[in-house]
Amino acid sequence: MTTASKITLVRVALIPVYMVLMYLSKGVPGGFLWGALAVFIAASLTDFVDGQIARRCNQVSDFGKFLDPLADKLLVIAAMVIFCEWGKMPAWAVMIVLTREFAVTGLRLVAVGKGTVIAAGMSGKIKTATTMIGLCAMMAFPTVSWLCWTVTGLIVVTTLYSGVEYFVQNWKCLWD
């Protein structure tokens, strides 16, 4: 197993730690919430680190290609589901994110079956960064309702834009 894949596994292992700290905080600013934020930031940073190591040290692997995007999605969905449960994010926004993730994954599977690899686009990277930064802001200021709505709006807009872009650029994979 490569170093990059081990770092990705650390991100996966941090997800339950993050969730426990979030539940212990009950959305109240203070120790547990700050701890959850620190774990979320650390986990988010591993996404950048494992990618850099994989590319620079020639450690790109099939396992890493599978696990890295899955770890990102699990971390983001864990945070969004908790915020949804707390009434800080509407379920429809979480559903839009889930739908986009399933749709793009399905598109990629169809493309691979036809011998085409769909690389991550810049809009997808912007979506991921916007989402992770926005969720951090919601954790840092959980009682600021306008912030929660602004973050939700940014997440939805970047998610929809990147999803549409993936399909517009790769629609031929579905119709050949």
Side-chain angles (χ1 to χ4, degrees), residues 139-172:
M139 282 175 254
F141 306 101
T143 59
V144 181
S145 62
W146 67 264
L147 177 66
C148 295
W149 281 106
T150 302
V151 167
T152 297
L154 287 170
I155 289 171
V156 167
V157 167
T158 57
T159 295
L160 288 172
Y161 181 85
S162 69
V164 168
E165 182 181 70
Y166 273 100
F167 278 89
V168 166
Q169 291 179 353
N170 300 287
W171 66 274
K172 292 180 182 179

Side-chain angles (χ1 to χ4, degrees), residues 47-68:
D47 183 31
F48 174 76
V49 172
D50 64 12
Q52 290 295 314
I53 290 173
R55 287 184 290 280
R56 288 186 184 173
C57 300
N58 197 26
Q59 293 185 2
V60 176
S61 67
D62 288 338
F63 179 69
K65 289 178 191 176
F66 163 76
L67 189 62
D68 183 65

Side-chain angles (χ1 to χ4, degrees), residues 89-102:
M89 182 174 284
W92 59 262
V94 178
M95 193 63 205
I96 287 171
V97 171
L98 286 171
T99 300
R100 183 257 186 217
E101 297 305 338
F102 283 127

Side-chain angles (χ1 to χ4, degrees), residues 114-128:
K114 295 180 178 190
T116 302
V117 174
I118 299 175
M122 183 53 69
S123 67
K125 293 177 182 184
I126 291 169
K127 171 204 61 96
T128 299

